[in-house]
Amino acid sequence: MKLDLELAAERVAPGKTVAGRVHVVEGGDSRELTLTLTFYEHTRDFAIPAAQTSAVVHQGTVTRGDAYEFSFALPDDAVPSVETKNGKLYWELELRSDEPGVDTHVRRELPVG
Amino acid sequence: MKLGAARPLPSSADFPHLPPGHAPGPQSLRNRQGLPVLWWFVGLVGLAMFVAGVLVAGHIRRQFPWRDEAIGGTIFASFGLLCLVVAYMQYRRFRPARLRTRFGGVALAVDRDEATRGEAVTATVTHGAVEDLEVGLVCDERFDLIARAQTKAGPVSVRETNQAAAYEDWKPVDAAVGEQVFTFEIPRDAPCSYEGDCLSYGWRVTARQVRRLRTDPRSDRPIWVRP
């Protein structure tokens, strides 16, 4: 199975909506497609999810050419993405397909600010 | 305390990097500043060792040959001095040297506790002819790393918090002028204040006296920078 994440905007401001589409490039047997938006704190030795929200975007088998829309509301006080010499605060979208065997994952960083 | 009741914010003395009204994050709570009792103890023991070593080296007791007492006393005093230096350096990590604020010292005032990125912060410095004084706007990043060491029992990993300046803008203070006003703009792309688990950002306006080969005494005013 092969999936792709398309975002309506490359950068999202706090309080706005993260919207986009999941494109099915190669279909397959999936129980559920779950999209998770996570805020990470990252240093050389640590990557800690500080906030997280999830939503199911589709249930059942997916076929090539299908597209599923999604949207998340970012909180007004969402911390903007930033990278400094020794650390990074960033948001990431992760799409997970729950499948028999190894699940398919697609990750994409979402610039916020 | 009832469940759900509001808890008082921790003392600002424990978290000097936070302006009033802002709660510390998990990382700040882990690294809460207490009394550096251990380093006071090491320093006192080191001082006692140094004094005892000097007295022995000075051949006051006259129990052993002069040369033996001189060598033994010098070694003992040297270890005492080493303990003193280590204790002082560790103490200064907890408590940076402060600028004198009275009797011709330095007073630092900031026009606000909170600001948004892109806004300006005004600092007023009043001083009595203090040389090599600077005022700056600084963003400190505190980041956790794993420190690894090899011991007899095997490899040991310890989580430790380090600090570095993520942003700093310093301006010299004219020694001849008693009161001066400085304006600093917070860059729009700089980190905002954040209290996290393994990474935090804190902002301060600081007056420091630059000294060669010694720690710079400083006076801090923490500010909270909003997105």
Side-chain angles (χ1 to χ4, degrees):
Chain A
M1 186 179 306
K2 197 171 176 186
L3 303 165
D4 190 25
L5 268 174
E6 181 198 350
L7 293 174
E10 288 302 310
R11 180 172 282 272
V12 183
K16 302 290 181 189
T17 303
V18 182
R21 279 181 176 188
V22 175
H23 290 282
V24 181
V25 182
E26 284 175 23
D29 189 12
S30 172
R31 297 187 193 99
E32 201 170 75
L33 292 182
T34 308
L35 196 61
T36 305
L37 178 63
T38 310
F39 172 61
Y40 281 100
E41 299 171 12
H42 181 89
T43 66
R44 188 192 70 192
D45 296 328
F46 292 92
I48 294 178
Q52 201 167 60
T53 180
S54 293
V56 174
V57 291
H58 177 75
Q59 285 183 314
T61 305
V62 294
T63 48
R64 187 178 174 209
D66 283 355
Y68 311 108
E69 294 194 346
F70 64 85
S71 69
F72 283 106
L74 268 183
D76 289 335
D77 58 352
V79 180
S81 309
V82 71
E83 183 168 6
T84 50
K85 192 178 171 189
N86 300 291
K88 185 177 178 182
L89 299 175
Y90 67 99
W91 294 79
E92 187 182 81
L93 276 168
E94 184 193 11
L95 177 66
R96 185 173 70 90
S97 167
D98 181 15
E99 299 161 24
V102 182
D103 293 347
T104 301
H105 292 260
V106 178
R107 291 186 176 87
R108 183 161 176 178
E109 196 174 322
L110 174 74
V112 171
Chain B
M1 183 181 290
K2 284 182 185 174
L3 277 176
R7 292 181 184 179
L9 285 170
S11 156
S12 62
D14 292 335
F15 306 99
H17 66 286
L18 289 174
H22 292 278
Q27 186 189 50
S28 295
L29 288 168
R30 270 200 314 275
N31 294 288
R32 165 184 240 143
Q33 284 191 9
L35 276 174
V37 176
L38 171 69
W39 300 116
W40 270 108
F41 178 73
V42 172
L44 285 174
V45 169
L47 181 65
M49 286 172 67
F50 178 73
V51 171
V54 168
L55 291 177
V56 170
H59 200 50
I60 286 176
R61 298 175 70 205
R62 296 176 192 276
Q63 278 188 334
F64 300 99
W66 175 85
R67 177 180 280 195
D68 291 355
E69 287 200 341
I71 293 173
T74 304
I75 291 172
F76 200 64
S78 302
F79 276 107
L81 195 61
L82 186 67
C83 285
L84 260 175
V85 170
V86 170
Y88 180 75
M89 288 170 67
Q90 291 298 325
Y91 176 79
R92 279 289 169 235
R93 275 187 64 194
F94 282 95
R95 301 274 163 91
R98 287 184 185 169
L99 271 174
R100 233 166 12 104
T101 52
R102 288 189 289 180
F103 310 119
V106 179
L108 173 67
V110 182
D111 66 335
R112 55 174 77 187
D113 282 340
E114 296 197 19
T116 303
R117 294 187 299 176
E119 287 184 349
V121 177
T122 303
T124 306
V125 182
T126 313
H127 67 100
V130 177
E131 302 257 320
D132 300 321
L133 198 61
E134 291 183 342
V135 180
L137 174 66
V138 181
C139 173
D140 293 312
E141 59 176 333
R142 293 186 308 285
F143 52 100
D144 286 1
L145 298 176
I146 299 285
R148 294 175 179 87
Q150 191 69 36
T151 65
K152 279 184 181 176
V156 175
S157 299
V158 179
R159 181 176 183 163
E160 65 174 31
T161 301
N162 293 267
Q163 183 169 316
Y167 173 84
E168 54 188 336
D169 178 15
W170 292 99
K171 295 177 180 176
V173 177
D174 190 342
V177 184
E179 181 177 301
Q180 286 168 78
V181 177
F182 298 88
T183 302
F184 296 96
E185 188 175 325
I186 302 166
R188 286 183 192 279
D189 58 351
C192 51
S193 296
Y194 178 73
E195 285 288 300
D197 194 333
C198 69
L199 180 64
S200 301
Y201 293 99
W203 287 82
R204 59 184 158 93
V205 175
T206 295
R208 72 177 179 189
Q209 189 177 19
V210 181
R211 302 191 301 189
R212 281 193 69 223
L213 303 175
R214 285 183 294 169
T215 33
D216 301 338
R218 69 185 214 209
S219 179
D220 295 338
R221 295 289 175 274
I223 57 171
W224 187 263
V225 174
R226 296 182 300 260

